[in-house]
Structures are given as C-alpha cells and as structure tokens.
Amino acid sequence: MPSDTLPPPSPPAEILAGLRAMGLLPPGVAVQGEPLTGGVSSDIWRVTLPGRGEVCVKRALPKLKVAADWRAPVSRNLYEARWMRRAAAAAPGAVPALLGQDEATGALAMEWLPPAKNALWKSRLRDGHADPGFAAEVARRLARIHAATAADPTVAAEFPTDAIFHAIRLEPYLLAAARAHPDRAAALEALVATTAGTKRALVHGDVSPKNILDGPGGPVFLDAECAWWGDPAFDLAFCLNHLLLKCLWTPAVRAGFLACFDALASTYLAGVDWEPAAAIEARTAHLLPGLFLARVDGKSPVEYLTAERDKDRVRRVARALLAAPVERLGAVRAAWGEELER
C-alpha cells in the first residue's frame, strides 16, 4: 500500500488510557494522532478527540532520549500540571490551558496551540529574529510567576520535588560538568549546594527558548517537568545561558542576542520584590557560568555547538568565571563579549 494512503497512527496505549482516565476520551472510541518531535523527556502527541478537536498530550519517559544514561521519575508530569495551574493564576495567558493529568499513566493533556500562530522562540532566534521586547516580556511573565508564588509559601507543599530536580537538573548539568572538569568541581558542587538549599519561589526548571512560544498574546511557557520549590535564580540563569550560547549558533545576530540578554536580565530584576534584587542577581551570575559549561560538557549538550573551537570558547569563559565569580550579570555578559571579539 502506498505510504500516502496509510491512516494516521494511533497514539500509544498509555496515552489513550490516560485520556480515558481524564474523561477526555470515551471507552472504546478510537482516535488518531501525530507524534511530535523535539523533546527528549516525553512522548508528545497531537491527538484529535471527538467533540473536542485537537489537543496536545504528553507522557513522561523514565529514561530520557539522550546519549547518556539519564533517568528521572515519571511522576514529574503531576508537578508540571500543578505548575501550570499556579502559573496561569499568576500570569494569565503565559501557559496553555490545562485539560487534565493522570497520575497513573503519567499523561498530561493541554490545549493545542497551532505552530502557524505560535512559533518557537528557539526557531525565531535561529532565523535571526532577536527581539529585546519579546525577551523583556518573557522576563516580565517569569518574574510575575516567581513573585506570586514567593508571596504564598504554602505552595511549597505542592512540590516535594527535590529528588526530581536533582535527577533532572542538578546532577546531569552541574555535577556532570564537575566530573568533566575536576579542577572546577569544588566550585560546581558549591553551586549545587547553594541552589538546592535556596527555597524562595516556584521554579519552572527549563526556561529555554525551545520551551517558549511566541504566541499572539505574548510568550507562552511549555514543559515544566522540572517544577520545583526552590531558587528562582535557576530559571533566570537557565534562560540567559541560551541567549549567550546562541551567539555562536547565529553569529550575524550576536548584538541582537546580547541586547535580548540585557532586556531579559534588567526586566526580570525590576520585577523582583521577594528579596533584594542584588541578591538574586549575584546567585544568577554565579550559577550562569556553571550552566554555560554544562551545555558543552554535561549530559545534555546543546545540539548546535559541534565545533571544538566553539566549545573551547565556552569552556574558556565559564572556567574563568567559576574560578573568579562575579556579582553582576553585566560582568558575565562582558566576559563573553570579550571572548566573541577575540
């Protein structure tokens, strides 16, 4: 039979079971869907449901789809759903509408946001669209979520996820980089201790351009599988890190990426009201070089840095800043700018 006449595939049994448990799919009803690419931690499908139309369903995987042996509890989708509810209340429009979550199967359903109207920020950056105004709005919404949850410390009880955050963020990024750089291990291990021990707000854990849509109403955050009650500096550093790295991906737009870095940092810090802005800026400036190094020598290296020359530029700046930490984000940006001018 010619391939163009084959029917669309049916989602895996676990996803169908999750949809039925959520009350979104009647028993015995068959549905079709399309597997989506791009993520490493979940099976993600676009599914057409009777009477509802298209929805997005994801199911957490016990072993992530990377070269390293990287495992994480599948219960993380429960906490992603909880993060989505909290984020939607703090910053309406900043997340897709949550349709349901089934703890038994680890499946989560949300509204489908058509790519034609909701471009990935990562794709726009790759194509040279560096908009400081959009970066500022990302920061504004992120700070709003952090501020709202910091003001309600009872949120912490909903996120007993220290072990998950360690397994999916601290170990594969900072501790893996420490093993690759023994002479910087003490500094990286100290960052882990500080981050793990700082409990101030609800953290997304994966604020990356690949998880942010440029939608009609502004930035939309996706994939909060790492949701954790902890240090909001992690979210800020994680996102700023990508803006620095993309200077090597699309060199012609370096100035624009650095302008986005400035806009995101300054707008976020202006929204900090739960602690002195200088305190969270210092933690972010300390953490950023560790994450910078982790994206070339951790368990999840960025896929677009393949030349050793580029990796060595990241290593050179990150290692220097780990040896002599700075307190201001502008100093991290300046150190990277000097390297780019070499």
Side-chain angles (χ1 to χ4, degrees):
M1 180 182 292
S3 60
D4 60 359
T5 64
L6 292 174
S10 177
E14 296 87 351
I15 284 182
L16 294 176
L19 287 169
R20 292 189 178 102
M22 294 177 225
L24 300 175
L25 180 63
V29 175
V31 294
Q32 297 172 337
E34 176 191 4
L36 305 179
T37 60
V40 301
S41 62
S42 296
D43 276 334
I44 308 175
W45 283 71
R46 178 181 59 81
V47 179
T48 303
L49 295 178
R52 287 183 176 269
E54 294 179 318
V55 302
C56 180
V57 189
K58 59 186 295 189
R59 178 175 175 270
L61 297 172
K63 183 182 185 300
L64 279 65
K65 295 179 283 188
V66 296
D69 185 16
W70 183 359
R71 299 174 185 272
V74 296
S75 60
R76 59 191 184 270
N77 270 2
L78 169 65
Y79 303 110
E80 178 175 12
R82 291 179 179 178
W83 183 92
M84 291 175 71
R85 293 188 188 100
R86 290 288 182 174
V95 296
L98 177 65
L99 302 179
Q101 194 274 335
D102 177 52
E103 192 170 353
T105 59
L108 181 154
M110 69 191 84
E111 71 171 314
W112 171 252
L113 298 176
K117 296 182 179 180
N118 298 272
L120 271 182
W121 192 22
K122 179 178 180 178
S123 299
R124 292 187 60 76
L125 293 173
R126 177 201 62 206
D127 295 341
H129 300 287
D131 179 2
F134 183 81
E137 186 57 26
V138 169
R140 194 171 292 113
R141 294 186 177 198
L142 184 62
R144 197 174 300 153
I145 294 166
H146 289 163
T149 55
D152 182 7
T154 63
V155 176
E158 297 179 22
F159 295 89
T161 56
D162 285 4
I164 294 176
F165 194 78
H166 185 276
I168 207 169
R169 280 295 170 264
L170 299 180
E171 195 286 328
Y173 285 84
L174 298 174
L175 294 180
R179 291 191 291 273
H181 295 267
D183 59 340
R184 295 294 184 271
L188 288 160
E189 290 164 0
L191 290 175
V192 170
T194 297
T195 303
T198 303
K199 304 289 191 178
R200 293 191 178 273
L202 182 56
V203 174
H204 177 286
D206 198 3
V207 182
S208 161
K210 73 177 177 61
N211 290 331
I212 300 173
L213 299 177
D214 184 354
V220 179
F221 296 96
L222 308 175
D223 292 342
E225 292 185 17
C226 308
W228 170 63
W229 179 264
D231 190 357
F234 189 91
D235 278 347
L236 179 58
F238 204 85
C239 196
L240 290 173
N241 187 34
H242 283 277
L243 294 174
L244 297 182
L245 290 167
K246 282 172 177 52
C247 292
L248 297 176
W249 193 24
T250 313
V253 198
R254 285 173 180 171
F257 294 154
L258 294 177
C260 287
F261 180 102
D262 293 341
L264 197 148
S266 61
T267 303
Y268 179 89
L269 293 172
V272 173
D273 63 4
W274 59 90
E275 64 176 305
I280 192 170
E281 181 177 13
R283 293 199 310 278
T284 306
H286 296 166
L287 184 57
L288 185 47
L291 294 175
F292 203 40
L293 188 61
R295 295 321 297 262
V296 295
D297 290 323
K299 286 186 178 180
S300 182
V302 290
E303 82 286 355
Y304 52 82
L305 293 187
T306 57
E308 280 303 311
R309 176 179 179 273
D310 286 339
K311 294 179 183 180
D312 283 341
R313 299 180 86 177
V314 172
R315 293 176 181 125
R316 186 157 48 240
V317 172
R319 286 172 51 82
L321 289 170
L322 286 167
V326 296
E327 304 295 306
R328 303 298 300 273
L329 288 168
V332 177
R333 177 210 192 279
W336 184 231
E338 290 173 9
E339 173 63 34
L340 294 175
E341 292 298 323
R342 286 166 62 101

